[in-house]
PDB file of all heavy atoms in Angstrom:
ATOM      1  N   PHE A 166     201.964 116.651 153.397  1.00 98.00           N
ATOM      2  CA  PHE A 166     200.769 116.975 154.132  1.00 98.00           C
ATOM      3  C   PHE A 166     199.522 116.920 153.172  1.00 98.00           C
ATOM      4  O   PHE A 166     199.482 117.698 152.201  1.00 98.00           O
ATOM      5  CB  PHE A 166     200.800 118.395 154.753  1.00 98.00           C
ATOM      6  CG  PHE A 166     201.909 118.561 155.762  1.00 98.00           C
ATOM      7  CD1 PHE A 166     203.158 118.938 155.354  1.00 98.00           C
ATOM      8  CD2 PHE A 166     201.650 118.375 157.111  1.00 98.00           C
ATOM      9  CE1 PHE A 166     204.185 119.103 156.300  1.00 98.00           C
ATOM     10  CE2 PHE A 166     202.659 118.556 158.033  1.00 98.00           C
ATOM     11  CZ  PHE A 166     203.936 118.946 157.651  1.00 98.00           C
ATOM     12  N   TRP A 167     198.610 116.023 153.439  1.00 98.00           N
ATOM     13  CA  TRP A 167     197.398 115.935 152.643  1.00 98.00           C
ATOM     14  C   TRP A 167     196.275 116.776 153.298  1.00 98.00           C
ATOM     15  O   TRP A 167     196.123 116.733 154.507  1.00 98.00           O
ATOM     16  CB  TRP A 167     196.940 114.519 152.502  1.00 98.00           C
ATOM     17  CG  TRP A 167     197.748 113.805 151.457  1.00 98.00           C
ATOM     18  CD1 TRP A 167     198.938 113.116 151.653  1.00 98.00           C
ATOM     19  CD2 TRP A 167     197.509 113.783 150.042  1.00 98.00           C
ATOM     20  NE1 TRP A 167     199.411 112.629 150.455  1.00 98.00           N
ATOM     21  CE2 TRP A 167     198.571 112.998 149.437  1.00 98.00           C
ATOM     22  CE3 TRP A 167     196.524 114.263 149.211  1.00 98.00           C
ATOM     23  CZ2 TRP A 167     198.635 112.779 148.074  1.00 98.00           C
ATOM     24  CZ3 TRP A 167     196.583 114.041 147.822  1.00 98.00           C
ATOM     25  CH2 TRP A 167     197.634 113.278 147.275  1.00 98.00           C
ATOM     26  N   SER A 168     195.574 117.492 152.478  1.00 98.00           N
ATOM     27  CA  SER A 168     194.481 118.334 153.012  1.00 98.00           C
ATOM     28  C   SER A 168     193.286 118.274 152.066  1.00 98.00           C
ATOM     29  O   SER A 168     193.441 118.188 150.855  1.00 98.00           O
ATOM     30  CB  SER A 168     194.958 119.834 153.125  1.00 98.00           C
ATOM     31  OG  SER A 168     195.601 120.190 151.904  1.00 98.00           O
ATOM     32  N   VAL A 169     192.118 118.217 152.633  1.00 98.00           N
ATOM     33  CA  VAL A 169     190.865 118.107 151.830  1.00 98.00           C
ATOM     34  C   VAL A 169     189.850 119.012 152.459  1.00 98.00           C
ATOM     35  O   VAL A 169     189.745 119.113 153.691  1.00 98.00           O
ATOM     36  CB  VAL A 169     190.339 116.644 151.835  1.00 98.00           C
ATOM     37  CG1 VAL A 169     189.122 116.559 150.861  1.00 98.00           C
ATOM     38  CG2 VAL A 169     191.424 115.669 151.435  1.00 98.00           C
ATOM     39  N   THR A 170     189.066 119.647 151.581  1.00 98.00           N
ATOM     40  CA  THR A 170     187.915 120.419 152.099  1.00 98.00           C
ATOM     41  C   THR A 170     186.798 120.387 151.058  1.00 98.00           C
ATOM     42  O   THR A 170     186.993 119.964 149.916  1.00 98.00           O
ATOM     43  CB  THR A 170     188.312 121.878 152.454  1.00 98.00           C
ATOM     44  OG1 THR A 170     187.321 122.459 153.256  1.00 98.00           O
ATOM     45  CG2 THR A 170     188.546 122.674 151.179  1.00 98.00           C
ATOM     46  N   VAL A 171     185.617 120.810 151.493  1.00 98.00           N
ATOM     47  CA  VAL A 171     184.430 120.795 150.585  1.00 98.00           C
ATOM     48  C   VAL A 171     183.987 122.245 150.418  1.00 98.00           C
ATOM     49  O   VAL A 171     183.757 122.934 151.404  1.00 98.00           O
ATOM     50  CB  VAL A 171     183.358 119.884 151.142  1.00 98.00           C
ATOM     51  CG1 VAL A 171     182.084 119.962 150.277  1.00 98.00           C
ATOM     52  CG2 VAL A 171     183.828 118.466 151.257  1.00 98.00           C
ATOM     53  N   ILE A 172     183.788 122.633 149.159  1.00 98.00           N
ATOM     54  CA  ILE A 172     183.294 123.953 148.833  1.00 98.00           C
ATOM     55  C   ILE A 172     181.823 123.808 148.410  1.00 98.00           C
ATOM     56  O   ILE A 172     181.539 123.090 147.458  1.00 98.00           O
ATOM     57  CB  ILE A 172     184.076 124.576 147.653  1.00 98.00           C
ATOM     58  CG1 ILE A 172     185.608 124.514 147.931  1.00 98.00           C
ATOM     59  CG2 ILE A 172     183.639 126.022 147.368  1.00 98.00           C
ATOM     60  CD1 ILE A 172     186.076 125.306 149.112  1.00 98.00           C
ATOM     61  N   ASN A 173     180.954 124.408 149.142  1.00 98.00           N
ATOM     62  CA  ASN A 173     179.509 124.284 148.882  1.00 98.00           C
ATOM     63  C   ASN A 173     178.980 125.501 148.190  1.00 98.00           C
ATOM     64  O   ASN A 173     179.170 126.605 148.705  1.00 98.00           O
ATOM     65  CB  ASN A 173     178.723 124.098 150.214  1.00 98.00           C
ATOM     66  CG  ASN A 173     179.301 122.969 151.048  1.00 98.00           C
ATOM     67  OD1 ASN A 173     179.166 121.804 150.711  1.00 98.00           O
ATOM     68  ND2 ASN A 173     180.048 123.330 152.057  1.00 98.00           N
ATOM     69  N   CYS A 174     178.353 125.271 147.020  1.00 98.00           N
ATOM     70  CA  CYS A 174     177.883 126.438 146.229  1.00 98.00           C
ATOM     71  C   CYS A 174     176.407 126.323 145.998  1.00 98.00           C
ATOM     72  O   CYS A 174     175.875 125.216 145.719  1.00 98.00           O
ATOM     73  CB  CYS A 174     178.607 126.471 144.864  1.00 98.00           C
ATOM     74  SG  CYS A 174     180.376 126.625 145.002  1.00 98.00           S
ATOM     75  N   ASP A 175     175.734 127.442 146.074  1.00 98.00           N
ATOM     76  CA  ASP A 175     174.289 127.488 145.795  1.00 98.00           C
ATOM     77  C   ASP A 175     173.992 127.408 144.287  1.00 98.00           C
ATOM     78  O   ASP A 175     172.891 127.077 143.875  1.00 98.00           O
ATOM     79  CB  ASP A 175     173.669 128.765 146.403  1.00 98.00           C
ATOM     80  CG  ASP A 175     173.662 128.683 147.900  1.00 98.00           C
ATOM     81  OD1 ASP A 175     173.693 127.622 148.451  1.00 98.00           O
ATOM     82  OD2 ASP A 175     173.642 129.772 148.536  1.00 98.00           O
ATOM     83  N   GLU A 176     174.985 127.797 143.499  1.00 98.00           N
ATOM     84  CA  GLU A 176     174.833 127.792 142.077  1.00 98.00           C
ATOM     85  C   GLU A 176     176.217 127.616 141.459  1.00 98.00           C
ATOM     86  O   GLU A 176     177.228 127.783 142.171  1.00 98.00           O
ATOM     87  CB  GLU A 176     174.151 129.036 141.542  1.00 98.00           C
ATOM     88  CG  GLU A 176     174.918 130.340 141.987  1.00 98.00           C
ATOM     89  CD  GLU A 176     174.123 131.589 141.655  1.00 98.00           C
ATOM     90  OE1 GLU A 176     173.026 131.435 141.132  1.00 98.00           O
ATOM     91  OE2 GLU A 176     174.654 132.648 141.929  1.00 98.00           O
ATOM     92  N   ASP A 177     176.245 127.338 140.194  1.00 98.00           N
ATOM     93  CA  ASP A 177     177.593 127.298 139.515  1.00 98.00           C
ATOM     94  C   ASP A 177     178.282 128.697 139.654  1.00 98.00           C
ATOM     95  O   ASP A 177     177.671 129.712 139.414  1.00 98.00           O
ATOM     96  CB  ASP A 177     177.420 126.921 138.012  1.00 98.00           C
ATOM     97  CG  ASP A 177     177.137 125.468 137.837  1.00 98.00           C
ATOM     98  OD1 ASP A 177     177.034 124.709 138.809  1.00 98.00           O
ATOM     99  OD2 ASP A 177     176.973 125.079 136.648  1.00 98.00           O
ATOM    100  N   ILE A 178     179.569 128.630 139.975  1.00 98.00           N
ATOM    101  CA  ILE A 178     180.423 129.839 139.928  1.00 98.00           C
ATOM    102  C   ILE A 178     181.454 129.610 138.886  1.00 98.00           C
ATOM    103  O   ILE A 178     182.434 128.792 139.072  1.00 98.00           O
ATOM    104  CB  ILE A 178     181.030 130.123 141.314  1.00 98.00           C
ATOM    105  CG1 ILE A 178     179.996 130.163 142.429  1.00 98.00           C
ATOM    106  CG2 ILE A 178     181.787 131.451 141.241  1.00 98.00           C
ATOM    107  CD1 ILE A 178     180.532 130.338 143.827  1.00 98.00           C
ATOM    108  N   GLU A 179     181.286 130.259 137.760  1.00 97.00           N
ATOM    109  CA  GLU A 179     182.185 129.962 136.611  1.00 97.00           C
ATOM    110  C   GLU A 179     183.382 130.927 136.552  1.00 97.00           C
ATOM    111  O   GLU A 179     183.348 132.028 137.114  1.00 97.00           O
ATOM    112  CB  GLU A 179     181.377 130.065 135.309  1.00 97.00           C
ATOM    113  CG  GLU A 179     180.292 129.026 135.195  1.00 97.00           C
ATOM    114  CD  GLU A 179     179.511 129.142 133.887  1.00 97.00           C
ATOM    115  OE1 GLU A 179     179.516 130.237 133.282  1.00 97.00           O
ATOM    116  OE2 GLU A 179     178.881 128.122 133.516  1.00 97.00           O
TER     117      GLU A 179
END
Side-chain angles (χ1 to χ4, degrees):
Chain A
F166 297 87
W167 282 91
S168 47
V169 186
T170 197
V171 175
I172 309 296
N173 306 287
C174 301
D175 291 336
E176 57 187 1
D177 282 0
I178 307 175
E179 296 180 337

